[in-house]
Amino acid sequence: MLVLTWKIFQCKLALKKQLISNTNNIMEPVIKINPGASKWDIRQRVWDYIEEKNLANFPRPVHNRIPNFKAANQACNRLAELQEFKSSQTVKVNPDSPQQQARFVTLEAQKTLLVPTPRLRSGLFNKITPPQGANKEQLRVCASSQGVKDFSVPVGLDAKVKVDLVVVGSVAVSEKGCRIGKGEGYADLEWAMMASMGAVNESTVVVTVVHDCQVVDIPEELIGSHDLTVDYILTPTRVIKTECKLPKPQGVIWTKLDAEKLEKIPILKKLRALEEQAGKDVTLGTASHAAEPGLQTNQPKRQPRRRPRRNTQQDTEGETSQESRREKKGEADQKPRQQPARARKDSRGSGRGDEEGEAGKVAKGRSRRVAREQGPEEGRGEATSQRKLPQSVTTVYLGGIPAGLRVSELKTALRERSAAPLRLTWQGAQHRAFLDYSDPQVADQALEALQGLSLNGHSLQAELAKSQRGHKRSGQRQKPSAAAKANASPPDAKSDAAKEADQ
């Protein structure tokens, strides 16, 4: 009897070792990643595949989200199998839907559960405090997004917390432990802040929960010093121990943040003040540096997609929907009312190059409009937004934009390809956008980077705009008749308009 029991134990142990192992030879990646692919390319491939194969639950579509994949509960239940989880006391789990079951498993195991505040708006994380003697149903409520709000107490930076295990969501992850999130950088920033306050270190175990199709080959050169890597991957069918060799971030890399980011995340300002008092270098980076691919520090500008669903144009710059409605009325309708339309746009700060009579109103309006139109790369302050673009500005036309694409998705794709413009004019209803660059050389580099760009399964067309308008808005409609009139206008009239604007 003892021999039989021993053999059964050995069999179970062998099966467990086979399950929790590097499974490179067990399953080939379903999604093939092309050589030279960027982070954005990989995200797009994964999102498109999940949508195409209908592998996700609500919310849909999964683009720009951590996918709430089907069988997520099954994958989360594997968390209880990990020895590192069994021996842990405090577990931090991200607040996304596909990890809700991981939060429940943590509470059910009577461990301390920490959940980050969404987008770090009101602090770093909350400690979930279930009612005394809570049953399973009550614990499930506590693990939900609403329960996280109702049954929690905030944990400050000065709290003496030691986190034993961290669970994060991912868009894509490799069996070597390289992870790609949705592009906003919050998981990386949460880890960096916990490392700065001494809550985690290099030995802290990081687990991600994903669908099997999200396990892909990610080139290690895409992973930066600020990127969080993972030690375990849990899927509905397997547990993968990555044996990752890349180091985890040791703290906040302040040069990858800018002042605008600190304004959006107040707790960052507090942490920076504490580190400055401790004598650490807390020099911030510039806005243009923060927009480099992979830094993922200015993404909160993508918040418009979280508003109630409405027109694609309304999801971005406010003026676009107005402009689109006028375009739909037709060229003939528009010409007789051209002057009043301009006057109305000027009062909103639309500011068309030669029509700046009411300079004060135009300056104020343009400041608000440019703040909406600018991508994350443009946090250069109000003074810059009130000035015209440089005379050397070169405009690139981007056509073939698929219906339903958000401007935030396009901005992220541009940053990933190092093609972030000075200004982006969005005309989603016409399936196009205009990108302003500082000079022809920068525009040529952007054109080269944008070749072969594909979003939501549609190839985009990038080329120099037909008309280079210098300081004028690149997003003005390309009407030959209007262009001809502009070219034919006497220089004296243009000069008078400029003088009037100066007055």
Side-chain angles (χ1 to χ4, degrees), residues 106-324:
T106 301
L107 292 175
E108 188 181 37
Q110 299 183 346
K111 300 181 185 299
T112 300
L113 173 62
L114 302 177
V115 179
T117 60
R119 308 183 80 87
L120 299 176
R121 291 190 190 99
S122 57
L124 181 51
F125 40 58
N126 295 319
K127 177 183 176 182
I128 310 305
T129 55
Q132 188 72 26
N135 57 32
K136 279 192 176 184
E137 290 307 312
Q138 290 174 316
L139 292 180
R140 291 190 189 280
V141 172
C142 293
S144 67
S145 57
Q146 187 60 43
V148 169
K149 298 176 184 177
D150 296 340
F151 299 95
S152 64
V153 293
V155 177
L157 288 173
D158 53 352
K160 300 300 180 182
V161 178
K162 182 181 184 302
V163 178
D164 303 306
L165 188 140
V166 173
V167 179
V168 296
S170 303
V171 172
V173 64
S174 76
E175 293 184 348
K176 294 182 178 179
C178 300
R179 173 191 173 274
I180 294 178
K182 60 186 175 183
E184 297 185 344
Y186 286 106
D188 304 323
L189 198 51
E190 289 160 8
W191 173 274
M193 294 174 72
M194 288 191 295
S196 295
M197 61 188 287
V200 296
N201 53 43
E202 183 65 34
S203 63
T204 304
V205 175
V206 179
V207 179
T208 190
V209 182
V210 296
H211 191 275
D212 287 283
C213 74
Q214 294 174 259
V215 182
V216 300
D217 292 328
I218 300 176
E220 289 189 8
E221 56 266 23
L222 291 180
I223 305 303
S225 58
H226 62 288
D227 286 322
L228 180 62
T229 55
V230 303
D231 302 296
Y232 285 95
I233 304 170
L234 309 183
T235 79
T237 65
R238 53 184 176 154
V239 176
I240 305 171
K241 188 172 183 179
T242 66
E243 305 289 355
C244 184
K245 305 300 182 186
L246 297 177
K248 297 181 177 74
Q250 300 300 308
V252 176
I253 304 175
W254 296 104
T255 55
K256 294 186 180 294
L257 303 175
D258 59 13
E260 184 181 5
K261 188 69 171 181
L262 262 64
E263 289 299 322
K264 292 183 179 296
I265 305 179
I267 194 162
L268 265 180
K269 297 173 69 174
K270 183 177 179 180
L271 177 62
R272 183 168 180 253
L274 291 174
E275 294 205 351
E276 189 172 21
Q277 290 177 5
K280 295 183 180 180
D281 183 7
V282 293
T283 304
L284 297 177
T286 60
S288 58
H289 179 72
E292 291 177 2
L295 300 190
Q296 308 166 358
T297 57
N298 281 324
Q299 292 294 338
K301 283 186 178 289
R302 294 166 51 164
Q303 288 181 10
R305 70 178 178 80
R306 297 183 179 273
R307 296 173 184 168
R309 292 196 179 277
R310 51 184 181 174
N311 209 317
T312 303
Q313 292 92 328
Q314 292 175 335
D315 210 28
T316 57
E317 288 79 0
E319 65 171 356
T320 308
S321 58
Q322 301 281 351
E323 189 171 315
S324 302

Side-chain angles (χ1 to χ4, degrees), residues 352-354 356 366 384 387-395 422-423 435-441 443 467-474 494 498 502:
R352 294 189 178 218
D354 299 337
E356 299 176 348
R366 185 186 304 140
T384 302
R387 299 191 188 105
K388 299 176 182 178
L389 290 175
Q391 292 293 332
S392 61
V393 72
T394 303
T395 304
L422 288 175
R423 185 171 66 189
L435 315 176
D436 289 338
Y437 294 95
S438 57
D439 56 55
Q441 183 179 0
S467 173
Q468 301 300 316
R469 288 182 289 277
H471 65 273
K472 291 187 181 180
R473 286 184 54 215
S474 61
K494 189 172 184 179
D502 290 337

